[in-house]
């Protein structure tokens, strides 16, 4: 939690105003942030200085791992975060690749599970990583990337947290996650939950002990209409100790994640938090 608050404070103290054309808003911005989460010690990086909707963040991750491409699929598992980008983003509404209501196009999980090469063959990146890790193999390229510049025009948004690299070392599984753009008041709340949970889940289904997760962010920003709430409300609060995440031990394979896992299979123990803060969201 301290590293999250330090990042917020650093943006407030040292951030530079940048005009963002896509949203038409200014963002107070810093470049480069490194956050680490101790998954082995189960220090769940949940924001405690406001209520965090961690279940929606895990639902979003499950949708990515399943290769979902529709906001309706995300809603069905308890996540509303894609409604606006699928249905209210002007550029996407006018895009001929959009297949209709709720379609997100070839973003995130579609790339992770059905990446397409120049002759139309599909590649399941996650399945390859899972099979290797289960067999104790780290080929130094256990990379799950949602970043496909050739298909940006076929999706509603370029992926923000775009690449997850897994490593096996000394019997433990590690994760390095890379993010190009981060809405720190809203997105980061979700993203740090997702990085932690992705390593915990992958360790569990591949039969390894979890080590640490390293989260590398390039452009970290606060939108102008979020600044006052962050500076004058959230940053004035004292954080509580980190809670713990419990994952149903019956989840034992990638097929389990694909078929029956729900939010009921995740529980948080000891979550103490301050009152919620409704930050404005920019489409
Ligand atoms: N501007 C922007 N920021 C983001 O963080 C973001 C995007 N766009 N577009 C794509 C996804 C969608 N994400 C989102 C979208 C909405 C919330 C949000 O409204 N969170 C609220 C309530 C969550 C709930 O009730 O489930 C929050 O208080 O955290 C968070 C992340 C993250 N990403
Ligand atoms: O997982 C996510 C997804 C999105 N975001 C934020 C970061 C930016 O504020 C917007 C995306 O806008 P771009 O113009 O494509 O950078 O969404 C996030 O923080 N986390």
């Amino acid at each position: 939690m301290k590293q999250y608050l330090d990042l917020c404070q650093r943006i407030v103290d040292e951030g530079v105003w940048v005009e963002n054309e896509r949203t038409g808003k200014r963002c107070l911005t810093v470049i480069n942030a490194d956050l680490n989460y101790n998954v082995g010690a189960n220090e769940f990086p949940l924001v405690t200085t406001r209520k965090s909707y961690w279940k929606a963040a895990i639902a979003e991750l499950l949708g990515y791992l399943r290769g979902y491409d529709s906001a309706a699929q995300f809603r069905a598992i308890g996540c509303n975060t894609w409604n606006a980008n699928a249905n209210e983003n002007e550029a996407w509404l006018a895009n001929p690749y959009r297949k209709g209501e709720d379609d997100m196009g070839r973003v995130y999980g579609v790339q992770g599970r059905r990446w397409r090469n120049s002759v139309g063959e599909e590649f399941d990146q996650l399945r390859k990583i899972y099979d290797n890790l289960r067999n104790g193999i780290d080929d130094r390229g256990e990379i799950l990337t949602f970043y496909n510049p050739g298909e940006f025009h076929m999706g509603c948004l370029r992926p923000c947290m775009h690449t997850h690299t897994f490593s096996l070392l000394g019997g433990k599984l590690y994760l390095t996650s890379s993010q190009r753009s981060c809405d720190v008041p809203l997105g980061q709340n979700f993203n740090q939950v997702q990085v932690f949970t992705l390593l915990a889940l992958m360790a569990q289904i591949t039969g390894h002990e979890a080590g640490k997760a390293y989260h590398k962010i390039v452009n970290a920003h606060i939108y102008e209409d979020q600044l006052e709430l962050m500076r004058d409300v959230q940053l004035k609060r004292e954080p509580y100790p980190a809670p713990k995440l419990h994952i149903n031990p019956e989840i034992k394979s990638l097929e389990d994640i694909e078929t029956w896992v729900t939010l009921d299979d995740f529980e948080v123990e000891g979550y103490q938090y301050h009152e919620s803060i409704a930050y404005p969201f920019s489409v």
Side-chain angles (χ1 to χ4, degrees):
M1 183 69 230
K2 183 172 180 306
Q3 44 184 346
Y4 178 76
L5 295 175
D6 287 349
L7 173 59
C8 296
Q9 190 66 53
R10 188 179 137 217
I11 299 175
V12 169
D13 294 341
E14 300 168 19
V16 173
W17 285 109
V18 176
E19 289 288 342
N20 180 252
E21 203 182 320
R22 197 180 62 77
T23 56
K25 292 186 191 170
R26 289 190 314 153
C27 293
L28 199 55
T29 305
V30 297
I31 300 299
N32 192 51
D34 276 296
L35 294 97
N36 302 332
Y37 316 120
N38 195 337
V39 182
N42 201 355
E43 290 167 14
F44 193 40
L46 209 48
V47 167
T48 61
T49 49
R50 76 176 178 102
K51 184 175 183 188
S52 175
Y53 298 90
W54 61 272
K55 284 213 169 196
I58 292 182
E60 191 179 69
L61 174 68
L62 289 177
Y64 295 159
L65 298 180
R66 288 174 176 167
Y68 285 178
D69 65 357
S70 153
Q73 292 173 299
F74 281 89
R75 279 199 301 281
I77 57 168
C79 172
N80 286 312
T81 55
W82 284 96
N83 298 343
N85 279 106
N87 298 316
E88 290 167 31
N89 165 342
E90 291 303 329
W92 179 237
L93 291 176
N95 187 315
Y97 285 101
R98 184 173 180 267
K99 291 190 298 238
E101 182 82 8
D102 287 323
D103 183 35
M104 296 157 56
R106 292 189 56 82
V107 295
Y108 286 92
V110 176
Q111 300 296 344
R113 305 304 308 268
R114 299 187 297 282
W115 194 91
R116 237 185 244 151
N117 70 10
S118 58
V119 287
E121 294 158 343
E122 290 193 343
F123 180 62
D124 185 344
Q125 302 182 57
L126 182 61
R127 164 67 53 182
K128 173 263 175 182
I129 296 167
Y130 170 73
D131 288 341
N132 269 4
L133 295 179
R134 265 203 145 192
N135 290 311
I137 297 167
D138 168 2
D139 69 4
R140 301 192 289 196
E142 304 302 349
I143 299 175
L144 174 65
T145 185
F146 304 139
Y147 212 71
N148 186 347
E151 293 194 341
F152 285 162
H153 62 294
M154 297 177 175
C156 65
L157 197 71
R158 292 169 302 166
C160 290
M161 193 156 70
H162 55 82
T163 299
H164 301 283
T165 304
F166 294 90
S167 308
L168 275 177
L169 190 68
K172 287 189 186 173
L173 186 66
Y174 294 82
L175 172 62
T176 305
S177 298
S178 307
Q179 184 160 352
R180 66 171 175 82
S181 173
C182 183
D183 173 345
V184 176
L186 278 178
Q188 178 58 12
N189 256 25
F190 276 36
N191 295 134
Q192 54 190 38
V193 164
Q194 292 167 339
V195 171
F196 183 100
T197 306
L198 178 59
L199 177 55
L201 261 182
M202 283 297 276
Q204 182 164 319
I205 64 173
T206 60
H208 297 287
E209 206 184 309
K212 285 191 174 164
Y214 303 100
H215 187 182
K216 299 185 178 295
I217 299 168
V218 178
N219 182 308
H221 50 265
I222 298 176
Y223 286 90
E224 56 189 331
D225 52 7
Q226 300 170 325
L227 182 60
E228 216 175 282
L229 282 171
M230 176 56 78
R231 189 188 52 213
D232 303 339
V233 182
Q234 193 169 0
L235 278 169
K236 296 275 187 273
R237 297 174 173 175
E238 278 301 316
Y240 294 111
K244 292 195 178 308
L245 175 69
H246 297 297
I247 301 178
N248 182 351
E250 289 306 312
I251 303 176
K252 291 188 171 127
S253 67
L254 184 55
E255 290 74 14
D256 291 342
I257 292 174
E258 289 166 349
T259 54
W260 58 261
V261 172
T262 69
L263 292 182
D264 294 339
D265 298 300
F266 300 85
E267 268 176 38
V268 167
E269 180 195 335
Y271 184 33
Q272 270 183 283
Y273 52 84
H274 290 266
E275 220 179 294
S276 52
I277 299 177
Y279 280 107
F281 175 75
S282 300
V283 184

